[in-house]
Amino acid sequence: MRALIGQEVGRRGEAGTDWPRYLYSSPRAAASVMVLGYRLLGPRSLAALGAACARHGLGPALLGSRLHHTDLRKSLTVEQDAMKVELLPALTDNYMYLVIDEDTKEAAIVDPVQPQKVIETVKKHGVQLSTVLTTHHHWDHAGGNEKLVKLEPGLKVYGGDDRIGALTHKVTHLSTLQVGSLSVKCLSTPCHTSGHICYFVTKPGSAEPPAVFTGDTLFVAGCGKFYEGTADEMYKALLEILGRLPPDTRVYCGHEYTINNLKFARQVEPSNAAIREKLAWAKEKYNSGEPTVPSTIAEEFTYNPFMRGEDRAAARGGDGPGHHHEGHPQREGQFQGAPGLRWLQGLEPPWQMPSSAFGYSDVLGKLPPGTAGKSVLV
């Protein structure tokens, strides 16, 4: 596959090559770029390529089998009296989320990478789409913004990064906005990208569980890759910001990475029953085409190694503390240098990391001295 890309780039490397249209005419090369793009081109180059394809209207061609695979994945609607969330599978493993205020029938869409699917879902529910909530600028999250605002003029597009397409409202940490009667608080969680925002959605006065849309910061049993940040920033995002949300907060993440994340978590804590049970459940869901999202903040503290990392017993294969959320605020200041990730130093190589998840392949280079040299098999 690497040789194929080398051949294609060498053969078509002359000045002026229209890469989006060339990839359209060469599905073999397009598939290769999608498989190896993040490793060979890097996230910024691939983001630029994706944006160029979107401008040319060639997204489906570039994505190739990724779009086809989406057809095998089922959507899911999580209904509450005040708020309805529909999970919309996109690409190979992305999720878009339609958030509906039941009182006003006003709606927001999170990371609408496939605009036409969004429009169809909005019509199905008979709601008024007013808002786009973009977690970060990567093309598989923000790449549909420009087309969507053309299909639905007047949309308000929120995000924390000037690199986000069609941005109309730039937000910062603790900015607030309304979607009908729903309150949305913006949480700055830089690391995966410097402008990453998570969106915490509540219904004022309601006892129903709130929701948080975490993009590529927090996954079920995992965390995002450190493209533009540090382990300290990820620790703060996971433990000091997201980890302090109400325990029953439902976590809606950006990708379906659950099984691979849990396989890694099982290696970290082989005796953790919560991990084993969640993995068995996730496999059943995945095999039937159903999503493994949402989780809750409380659940993440039972099986997510990046939120359990302060407890050094985890690295020794222990069960860890029984009530992570209740005890967490008192732990602040106990450790230095990204303590929530330092447990990786206690693992003996070789240890298997999931190659399809963003969360692990860059961790070692971000940890304190003494961690270098650990073997990573991908």
Side-chain angles (χ1 to χ4, degrees), residues 273-356:
I275 293 173
R276 295 195 303 269
E277 292 169 5
K278 186 71 173 180
L279 179 57
W281 172 87
K283 288 179 177 178
E284 289 183 5
K285 288 288 185 180
Y286 187 81
N287 288 338
S288 62
E290 298 178 53
T292 62
V293 178
S295 63
T296 68
I297 293 294
E299 289 173 4
E300 294 298 326
F301 276 103
T302 69
Y303 49 63
N304 189 324
F306 292 100
M307 297 185 75
R308 293 170 58 78
E310 287 183 299
D311 178 19
R312 301 234 175 180
R316 297 192 299 269
D319 289 329
H323 302 286
H324 297 276
H325 189 276
E326 294 177 2
H328 171 66
Q330 284 70 44
R331 298 181 192 168
E332 184 177 9
Q334 282 186 311
F335 305 91
Q336 298 294 324
L341 301 179
R342 190 178 287 173
W343 53 268
L344 283 171
Q345 297 178 80
L347 296 179
E348 292 299 325
W351 35 283
Q352 183 72 29
M353 286 185 172
S355 59
S356 66

Side-chain angles (χ1 to χ4, degrees), residues 110 131-135 156-161 164 167 169-179 182-190 195-202 211-214 237 241-242 245:
V110 180
T131 304
V132 176
L133 303 175
T134 311
T135 60
K156 294 172 286 187
V157 180
Y158 292 88
D161 196 316
I164 291 171
L167 185 69
H169 295 71
K170 187 174 181 181
V171 299
T172 57
H173 187 53
L174 302 183
S175 295
T176 60
L177 60 116
Q178 293 291 127
V179 177
L182 300 178
S183 177
V184 182
K185 181 177 288 186
C186 304
L187 305 176
S188 178
T189 55
H196 197 293
I197 298 288
C198 296
Y199 297 95
F200 179 59
V201 184
T202 60
V212 64
F213 298 88
T214 59
I241 296 178
L242 298 174
L245 296 177

Side-chain angles (χ1 to χ4, degrees), residues 9 11 13 32 50 52 97 112 135 160 168 174 198 211 246 313 357-358 367:
V9 171
R11 195 161 64 87
S32 303
Y97 297 101
T135 60
T168 63
L174 302 183
C198 296
F358 280 120
L367 289 175

Side-chain angles (χ1 to χ4, degrees), residues 2 5 32-46 225 227 352-358 361-362 376-378:
R2 292 176 186 271
I5 289 188
S32 303
V33 169
M34 291 313 305
V35 171
L36 295 176
Y38 273 103
R39 294 183 181 176
L40 298 184
L41 298 179
R44 293 184 181 178
S45 297
L46 194 59
K225 192 172 182 178
Y227 282 130
Q352 183 72 29
M353 286 185 172
S355 59
S356 66
F358 280 120
S361 62
D362 276 359
V376 183
L377 302 179
V378 294

Side-chain angles (χ1 to χ4, degrees), residues 36-311:
L36 295 176
Y38 273 103
R39 294 183 181 176
L40 298 184
L41 298 179
R44 293 184 181 178
S45 297
L46 194 59
L49 180 59
C53 287
R55 287 194 300 271
H56 283 282
L58 303 179
L62 176 63
L63 297 173
S65 61
R66 291 174 66 101
L67 291 177
H68 175 72
H69 178 75
T70 303
D71 296 337
L72 305 178
R73 299 166 59 209
K74 299 176 184 177
S75 61
L76 172 70
T77 302
V78 179
E79 297 196 43
Q80 299 175 181
D81 289 340
M83 174 172 51
K84 179 187 295 183
V85 179
E86 178 151 1
L87 289 69
L88 299 175
L91 311 184
T92 295
D93 48 39
N94 281 69
Y95 284 113
M96 309 179 291
Y97 297 101
L98 185 67
V99 185
I100 300 172
D101 173 33
E102 292 285 52
D103 286 346
T104 65
K105 298 303 179 182
E106 186 176 331
I109 186 68
V110 180
D111 292 347
V113 66
Q114 290 182 233
Q116 191 59 48
K117 188 170 187 177
V118 172
I119 296 298
E120 292 169 1
T121 306
V122 166
K123 290 179 179 178
K124 179 186 74 173
H125 287 284
V127 297
Q128 178 62 46
L129 183 64
S130 66
T131 304
V132 176
L133 303 175
T134 311
T135 60
H136 61 294
H137 76 280
H138 285 167
W139 71 269
D140 59 325
H141 295 261
N145 285 7
E146 293 181 354
K147 181 176 180 181
L148 184 60
V149 299
K150 290 179 180 179
L151 294 172
E152 288 285 325
L155 290 175
K156 294 172 286 187
V157 180
Y158 292 88
D161 196 316
D162 290 326
R163 294 171 290 183
I164 291 171
L167 185 69
T168 63
H169 295 71
K170 187 174 181 181
V171 299
T172 57
H173 187 53
L174 302 183
S175 295
T176 60
L177 60 116
Q178 293 291 127
V179 177
S181 65
L182 300 178
S183 177
V184 182
K185 181 177 288 186
C186 304
L187 305 176
S188 178
T189 55
C191 184
H192 182 69
T193 68
S194 60
H196 197 293
I197 298 288
C198 296
Y199 297 95
F200 179 59
V201 184
T202 60
K203 170 73 171 182
S206 173
E208 294 182 335
V212 64
F213 298 88
T214 59
D216 285 0
T217 292
L218 171 62
F219 299 127
V220 179
C223 72
K225 192 172 182 178
F226 306 171
Y227 282 130
E228 298 178 359
T230 67
D232 287 308
E233 288 178 315
M234 183 59 77
Y235 169 76
K236 180 179 180 181
L238 296 179
L239 277 299
E240 297 180 4
I241 296 178
L242 298 174
R244 291 181 179 175
L245 296 177
D248 63 346
T249 301
R250 287 174 169 154
V251 177
Y252 296 92
C253 60
H255 291 269
E256 182 60 66
Y257 288 159
T258 303
I259 291 177
N260 280 340
N261 287 348
L262 286 165
K263 287 179 179 178
F264 175 67
R266 183 178 58 186
Q267 293 184 76
V268 178
E269 291 188 87
S271 63
N272 186 326
I275 293 173
R276 295 195 303 269
E277 292 169 5
K278 186 71 173 180
L279 179 57
W281 172 87
K283 288 179 177 178
E284 289 183 5
K285 288 288 185 180
Y286 187 81
N287 288 338
S288 62
E290 298 178 53
T292 62
V293 178
S295 63
T296 68
I297 293 294
E299 289 173 4
E300 294 298 326
F301 276 103
T302 69
Y303 49 63
N304 189 324
F306 292 100
M307 297 185 75
R308 293 170 58 78
E310 287 183 299
D311 178 19

